């Protein structure tokens, strides 16, 4: 599974803060840049001159600063990069033009996966991120026009929402089976030689090709030791998403040649067929192509042929209705609830204002992505559930019967009812009662700035 596949998922299916931040940084590093909207390819035999132009380096610096992120193996921070570039810009440009720039190893880190386990990321130095960003801004224009119309991941003017909408359109035409392909450890298995051969078809500037190869071979530093890289593209650098699209463009072209109806977002690829039997044939045939031609491996446990409403795509699930609707995949809802439970657990020992402040960016990000679904009742139910959690949190904070009685009276509850409720037990059951809901109204949370998933901010 791709580390930056959804703003997805954003997580925006958001299994945790650190992973969400990593995904958001990678998303901004590709889709939000995106240089000028030009359909013309640069003169690739002198591509390095364009990469090193003052204007391109300035834009790259702005993007790296906007993305922020942790230091690499040299310890230089994003804030220190501006001063460094001011003093060494001519030197850096000279190294790039003279084919003398040497990337440093990436710093290996691990972050939690949404479904358990850990995922490895590689954090380049900020100087290497600057160079990669400058390369991306030029190379993207050269490659993007040749990419498939069925590819939506990390491309200018394209998004995960568009990919999900296209999948919905295909299902509406009657293709009611999906071949859901998952590539096993895709970023760890990319064959360097095949990738460089694909790049060389569009880039004639040997300096650029050698620099890409240098980034691929820079290695990973963990516990002070550098492990060489003979295959794979480390997730974490601005250039990685483009390189992944270059690798998988060959798959896109093969699917187009076979006239399949498909949608691909990064390493998520769904192929739609009219029958299960056709789907099984496509699964076997395409899996063989991926193994033999691309030197990659299909994850047999996660890949399957099934109904679109039984599978998920970029956090969404396409329903069996006629016409089909975009719903939120159950796993995305589970991750949402898991994250909200973490932020509202009673043992945190912080004020309700602080809890709401922590929830606010998460809920807004989730709504920005999943608010686009066509099942608003799911969002309404989640809104109720979040407020239920907060009422439970507040009731637990009040602790003693005397304090609960006092707070309920201040919120307008009659003395006898307030006294009765203050001695009642069962936090979760009680916080859902109509009397507590009357006392701690929805407007109370609105005043605290709690966003609603099923309504935009006023």
């Amino acid at each position: 599974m791709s580390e930056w596949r959804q703003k997805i998922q954003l997580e925006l299916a958001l299994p945790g803060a650190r992973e969400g931040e990593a995904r958001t940084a990678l998303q901004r590093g590709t889709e939000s840049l995106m240089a000028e909207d030009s359909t013309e390819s640069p003169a690739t035999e002198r591509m390095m001159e364009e990469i090193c132009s003052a204007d391109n380096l300035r834009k790259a610096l702005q993007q790296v600063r906007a993305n922020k992120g942790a230091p690499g193996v040299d310890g230089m921070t994003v804030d220190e990069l501006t001063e460094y570039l001011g003093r060494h810009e001519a030197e850096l440009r000279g190294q790039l033009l003279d084919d003398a720039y040497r990337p440093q190893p990436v710093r290996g880190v691990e972050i939690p996966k949404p479904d358990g386990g850990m995922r490895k990321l590689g954090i380049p130095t900020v100087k290497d991120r600057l160079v990669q960003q400058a390369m991306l801004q030029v190379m993207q224009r050269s490659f993007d026009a040749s990419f498939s119309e069925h590819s939506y991941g990390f491309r200018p003017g394209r998004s995960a929402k568009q990919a999900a909408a296209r999948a919905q359109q295909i299902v509406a035409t009657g293709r009611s089976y999906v071949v859901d392909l998952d590539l096993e450890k895709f970023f760890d298995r990319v064959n360097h030689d095949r990738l460089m051969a694909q790049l060389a078809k569009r880039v004639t500037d040997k300096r650029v090709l050698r620099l890409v190869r240098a980034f691929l071979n820079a290695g990973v530093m963990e516990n002070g030791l550098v492990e060489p890289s003979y295959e794979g593209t480390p997730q974490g650098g601005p250039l990685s998403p483009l390189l992944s699209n270059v690798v998988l463009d060959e798959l896109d072209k093969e699917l187009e040649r076979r006239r399949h109806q498909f949608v691909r977002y990064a390493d998520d690829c769904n192929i739609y067929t009219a029958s299960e039997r056709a789907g099984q044939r496509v699964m076997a045939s395409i899996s063989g192509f991926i193994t033999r031609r691309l030197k990659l491996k299909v994850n047999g446990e996660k890949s399957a042929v099934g109904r679109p409403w039984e599978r998920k795509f970029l956090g969404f699930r396409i329903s069996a209705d006629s016409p089909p609707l975009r719903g939120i995949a159950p796993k995305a809802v589970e991750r949402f609830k898991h994250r909200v439970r973490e932020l509202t657990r009673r043992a945190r020992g912080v004020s309700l204002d602080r809890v709401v402040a922590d929830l606010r960016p998460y809920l807004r990000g989730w709504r920005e992505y999943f608010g686009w679904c066509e099942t608003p009742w799911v969002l309404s139910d989640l809104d109720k559930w979040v407020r239920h959690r907060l009422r439970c949190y507040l009731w637990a904070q009040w602790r003693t019967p005397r304090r609960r009685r006092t707070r309920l009276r201040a919120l307008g509850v009659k003395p006898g009812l307030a006294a009765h409720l203050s001695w009642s037990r069962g936090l979760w059951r009680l916080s859902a009662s109509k009397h507590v809901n009357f006392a701690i109204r929805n407007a109370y949370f609105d005043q605290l700035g709690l966003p609603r998933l099923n309504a935009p901010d006023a």
Side-chain angles (χ1 to χ4, degrees), residues 406-415 417-418 438-439 441:
T406 302
R407 292 299 179 92
L408 289 172
R409 290 286 294 116
L411 290 170
V413 178
K414 293 181 180 180
L417 181 58
F438 172 80
R441 304 188 183 195

Side-chain angles (χ1 to χ4, degrees), residues 71-338:
V73 296
D74 64 354
M76 183 187 296
T77 66
V78 171
D79 293 334
E80 295 170 335
L81 181 60
T82 302
E83 181 182 353
Y84 174 88
L85 190 63
R87 289 187 283 110
H88 298 281
E89 182 176 350
E91 178 186 348
L92 175 62
R93 183 180 290 111
Q95 289 177 344
L96 292 171
L97 292 173
D98 294 340
D99 206 6
Y101 186 84
R102 296 294 178 265
Q104 293 183 264
V106 299
R107 180 166 66 88
V109 297
E110 292 185 336
I111 62 172
K113 288 184 179 181
D115 301 320
M118 304 297 288
R119 174 178 288 120
K120 287 188 176 183
L121 290 183
I123 302 178
T125 65
V126 292
K127 188 169 67 170
D128 285 344
R129 296 208 293 267
L130 172 73
V131 173
Q132 286 194 35
Q133 183 70 32
M135 296 173 72
L136 172 66
Q137 291 166 179
V138 175
M139 294 176 68
Q140 183 81 44
R141 296 199 300 272
S142 178
F143 280 90
D144 195 73
S146 68
F147 286 153
S148 169
E149 283 299 309
H150 305 278
S151 167
Y152 290 84
F154 307 103
R155 297 180 59 192
R158 290 174 170 252
S159 67
K161 291 181 180 180
Q162 291 174 341
R166 177 56 186 154
Q168 181 184 12
Q169 290 171 358
I170 296 174
V171 173
T173 66
R175 294 178 179 268
S176 55
Y177 285 87
V178 59
V179 180
D180 187 356
L181 288 173
D182 182 273
L183 300 182
E184 185 174 308
K185 297 182 178 180
F186 168 69
F187 290 95
D188 296 333
R189 297 179 182 270
V190 169
N191 184 282
H192 289 179
D193 292 334
R194 291 200 57 80
L195 170 56
M196 295 307 302
Q198 291 297 102
L199 289 174
K201 292 179 181 179
R202 299 298 303 273
V203 177
T204 56
D205 191 328
K206 302 299 183 184
R207 296 167 298 180
V208 175
L209 295 175
R210 283 192 287 267
L211 185 53
V212 172
R213 174 74 82 166
F215 276 117
L216 293 174
N217 294 339
V220 179
M221 179 176 286
E222 293 183 280
N223 301 318
L225 299 176
V226 176
E227 181 179 346
S229 300
Y230 301 110
E231 63 178 359
T233 60
Q235 298 180 68
L239 201 54
S240 292
L242 174 63
L243 298 181
S244 74
N245 275 335
V246 171
V247 171
L248 293 175
D249 186 59
E250 193 170 355
L251 172 62
D252 296 340
K253 296 299 193 290
E254 179 66 16
L255 293 173
E256 288 176 346
R257 188 185 68 79
R258 301 185 188 190
R259 298 184 179 181
H260 289 309
Q261 292 292 316
F262 72 98
V263 182
R264 184 178 66 79
Y265 189 98
D267 60 337
D268 272 345
C269 185
N270 278 6
I271 308 167
Y272 296 89
T273 64
S275 69
E276 183 178 12
R277 184 177 179 182
Q280 295 293 352
R281 286 199 305 266
V282 171
M283 172 68 83
S285 177
I286 294 301
S287 295
F289 173 84
I290 289 172
T291 301
R292 293 189 305 270
R293 187 68 178 270
L294 302 185
K295 309 302 181 184
L296 298 171
K297 185 177 180 181
V298 174
N299 189 324
E301 294 183 0
K302 295 184 178 180
S303 300
V305 177
R307 298 287 199 171
W309 46 91
E310 297 171 347
R311 310 294 297 178
K312 64 180 178 66
F313 183 52
L314 303 177
F316 290 99
R317 181 179 62 176
I318 301 171
S319 75
D321 300 285
S322 182
L325 302 176
R326 291 186 308 273
I328 304 173
K331 281 192 176 182
V333 174
E334 290 174 12
R335 291 173 191 161
F336 173 85
K337 288 188 172 184
H338 175 73

Side-chain angles (χ1 to χ4, degrees), residues 255-453:
L255 293 173
E256 288 176 346
R257 188 185 68 79
R258 301 185 188 190
R259 298 184 179 181
H260 289 309
Q261 292 292 316
F262 72 98
V263 182
R264 184 178 66 79
Y265 189 98
D267 60 337
D268 272 345
C269 185
N270 278 6
I271 308 167
Y272 296 89
T273 64
S275 69
E276 183 178 12
R277 184 177 179 182
Q280 295 293 352
R281 286 199 305 266
V282 171
M283 172 68 83
S285 177
I286 294 301
S287 295
F289 173 84
I290 289 172
T291 301
R292 293 189 305 270
R293 187 68 178 270
L294 302 185
K295 309 302 181 184
L296 298 171
K297 185 177 180 181
V298 174
N299 189 324
E301 294 183 0
K302 295 184 178 180
S303 300
V305 177
R307 298 287 199 171
W309 46 91
E310 297 171 347
R311 310 294 297 178
K312 64 180 178 66
F313 183 52
L314 303 177
F316 290 99
R317 181 179 62 176
I318 301 171
S319 75
D321 300 285
S322 182
L325 302 176
R326 291 186 308 273
I328 304 173
K331 281 192 176 182
V333 174
E334 290 174 12
R335 291 173 191 161
F336 173 85
K337 288 188 172 184
H338 175 73
R339 182 59 179 153
V340 171
R341 287 190 185 101
E342 285 184 338
L343 294 173
T344 59
R345 65 185 189 279
R346 295 191 294 273
R348 287 191 68 188
V350 299
S351 68
L352 184 65
D353 287 349
R354 171 65 184 277
V355 171
V356 171
D358 291 342
L359 280 171
R360 192 176 299 128
Y362 180 81
L363 295 181
R364 284 176 174 165
W366 211 83
R367 181 184 63 197
E368 180 185 345
Y369 188 71
F370 288 106
W372 178 71
C373 74
E374 295 173 322
T375 53
W377 56 90
V378 175
L379 299 176
S380 295
D381 289 345
L382 289 175
D383 274 330
K384 294 176 184 177
W385 180 81
V386 170
R387 290 192 292 267
H388 188 177
R389 292 283 307 179
L390 292 176
R391 288 187 179 101
C392 187
Y393 186 90
L394 193 58
W395 192 257
Q397 277 203 327
W398 290 346
R399 293 188 180 181
T400 66
R402 179 177 180 180
R403 190 176 184 187
R404 290 171 179 170
R405 184 171 63 251
T406 302
R407 292 299 179 92
L408 289 172
R409 290 286 294 116
L411 290 170
V413 178
K414 293 181 180 180
L417 181 58
H420 173 71
L421 290 174
S422 66
W423 285 98
S424 299
R425 299 193 178 188
L427 287 176
W428 185 250
R429 177 189 58 80
L430 190 61
S431 60
S433 71
K434 65 178 182 180
H435 302 297
V436 172
N437 274 256
F438 172 80
I440 311 172
R441 304 188 183 195
N442 294 346
Y444 176 78
F445 297 113
D446 292 340
Q447 292 172 357
L448 291 177
L450 181 74
R452 295 196 186 195
L453 297 176

